[in-house]
């Protein structure tokens, strides 16, 4: 599942494949960009901000009204970018999922099932992304600001607040579930009742940072299939700590996994009213 670390890894792959090169061709398969041709454009860098990918480009003179442009994309649940060598077969996903192909002399970058694909002046990034909270994997990561934003809505459940990218950018459902297990917090705990919000935020950052640079997301330290999470994706399986069956329920517009014993309900229990 693409979360902040996956997007960070993807940005790095694109950076290595394309940064500093001039594109020799592009093929956009989304209506809004169908006539866009990035041939001759130079790729300055690839970066991530929370779960957003930013491929920064320089337009050749006369090609565009500004020099600095950003190709924005979002992976959501199912998007991906892959870099291939020229001539290599594109095997990652079915061809009908391709939304864009970028060619350079050394590499071909293929974007699959991308969302919010848009070309905008780099100066407009802030307008697009300015609502995001501090980026957990950003060089400007600001834990105090993340805590401040979370604490500003004390009645919201911590399970929903952690997914709200306006509070902090990069946590998806997997890390949310795992983080709350590791902190012994019920997902239904109101933010105002979380005893150590700063500790929770700090652990979120460590979990994502630990998974930078690899594609297998693990919160347990184990990389073997089926052992990479404590609660996420483990409904009805025994808790690795106490043996209680892991629960799965809807919370907000997402499902959440938790151990009813290790993560007892906040007092008074929400079920009891
Ligand atoms: Zn447990």
């Amino acid at each position: 599942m693409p979360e902040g670390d996956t997007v960070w890894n993807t940005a790095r792959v694109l950076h290595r494949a394309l940064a500093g090169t001039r594109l020799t061709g592009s093929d956009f398969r989304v209506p809004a960009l169908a006539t866009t041709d990035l041939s001759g454009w130079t790729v300055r860098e690839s970066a991530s901000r929370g779960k957003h990918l930013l491929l920064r480009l320089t337009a050749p003179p006369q090609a565009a009204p500004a020099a600095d442009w950003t190709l924005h994309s979002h992976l959501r649940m199912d998007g991906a970018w892959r870099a291939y060598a020229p001539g290599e077969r594109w095997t990652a996903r079915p061809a009908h999922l391709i939304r864009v192909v970028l060619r350079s002399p050394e590499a071909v970058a293929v974007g699959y099932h991308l969302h919010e694909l848009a070309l905008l002046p780099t100066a407009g990034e802030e307008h697009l992304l300015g609502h995001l909270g501090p980026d957990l994997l950003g060089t400007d990561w600001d834990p105090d600001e993340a805590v401040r934003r979370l604490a500003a809505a004390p009645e919201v459940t911590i399970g929903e607040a952690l997914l709200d990218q306006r509070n902090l950018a990069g946590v998806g459902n997997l890390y949310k579930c795992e983080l709350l297990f590791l902190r012994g917090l019920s997902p239904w705990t109101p933010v105002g009742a979380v005893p150590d919000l700063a500790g929770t935020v700090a652990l979120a950052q460590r979990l994502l940072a630990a998974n930078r640079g690899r594609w297998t997301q693990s919160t347990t330290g184990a990389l073997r299939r089926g052992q990479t999470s404590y609660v996420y994706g483990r409904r009805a399986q025994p808790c690795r700590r106490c043996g209680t069956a892991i629960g799965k329920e809807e919370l907000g517009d997402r499902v959440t996994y938790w151990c009813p014993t290790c993560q007892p309900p906040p007092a008074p229990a929400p079920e009891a009213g």
Side-chain angles (χ1 to χ4, degrees):
M1 171 167 304
E3 304 205 22
D5 58 328
T6 307
V7 179
W8 190 92
N9 287 343
T10 301
R12 196 168 66 155
V13 166
L14 287 177
H15 189 84
R16 284 178 175 168
L18 296 177
T21 65
R22 266 180 80 159
L23 298 178
T24 52
S26 68
D27 177 8
F28 284 94
R29 303 183 187 176
V30 292
L33 295 172
T35 60
T36 300
D37 179 7
L38 299 182
S39 301
W41 292 47
T42 302
V43 178
R44 298 198 308 278
E45 62 179 347
S46 167
S48 64
R49 176 103 179 265
K51 297 199 271 183
H52 299 256
L53 271 162
L54 306 165
L55 190 67
R56 298 187 178 121
L57 306 152
T58 300
Q62 275 93 47
D68 294 344
W69 291 78
T70 297
L71 183 64
H72 169 265
S73 59
H74 197 291
L75 304 182
R76 288 204 201 148
M77 308 287 281
D78 46 8
W81 280 93
R82 290 287 185 277
Y84 299 101
E88 186 181 354
R89 281 191 58 190
W90 307 342
T91 52
R93 303 275 179 98
H96 71 269
L97 295 178
I98 294 174
R99 298 293 178 266
V100 60
V101 179
L102 302 175
R103 298 171 189 277
S104 82
E106 292 91 27
V108 183
V110 180
Y112 297 93
H113 216 158
L114 301 174
H115 304 270
E116 302 172 37
L117 190 60
L119 189 64
L120 61 141
T122 298
E125 280 183 12
E126 200 51 35
H127 181 70
L128 184 72
L129 305 175
H131 66 287
L132 291 175
D135 181 355
L136 285 152
L137 296 180
T139 50
D140 55 350
W141 164 236
D142 182 348
D144 295 339
E145 175 64 11
V147 169
R148 192 192 67 74
R149 290 183 179 219
L150 285 165
E155 71 288 355
V156 176
T157 68
I158 186 69
E160 291 169 287
L162 288 170
L163 289 179
D164 188 336
Q165 305 294 302
R166 293 171 299 185
N167 291 328
L168 68 178
V171 173
N173 209 22
L174 181 152
Y175 287 115
K176 174 208 79 180
C177 294
E178 296 293 293
L179 173 62
L180 294 177
F181 173 81
L182 289 165
R183 299 291 295 176
L185 290 168
S186 161
W188 287 270
T189 309
V191 167
V194 173
D196 180 6
L197 208 48
T200 298
V201 164
L203 183 57
Q205 200 278 335
R206 290 204 299 277
L207 284 179
L208 264 78
N211 283 290
R212 254 185 322 208
R214 68 177 183 219
W215 296 101
T216 303
Q217 294 169 313
S218 173
T219 53
T220 60
L223 295 176
R224 279 184 56 188
R225 195 181 177 88
Q227 300 188 357
T228 55
S229 69
Y230 287 104
V231 294
Y232 185 81
R234 300 191 66 240
R235 180 165 68 129
Q237 295 181 48
C239 172
R240 298 192 196 280
R241 282 193 181 153
C242 74
T244 303
I246 299 301
K248 176 187 177 185
E249 260 185 51
E250 285 184 17
L251 170 58
D253 56 359
R254 304 294 291 277
V255 296
T256 202
Y257 297 87
W258 85 107
C259 171
T261 302
C262 295
Q263 300 166 262
E271 295 88 336

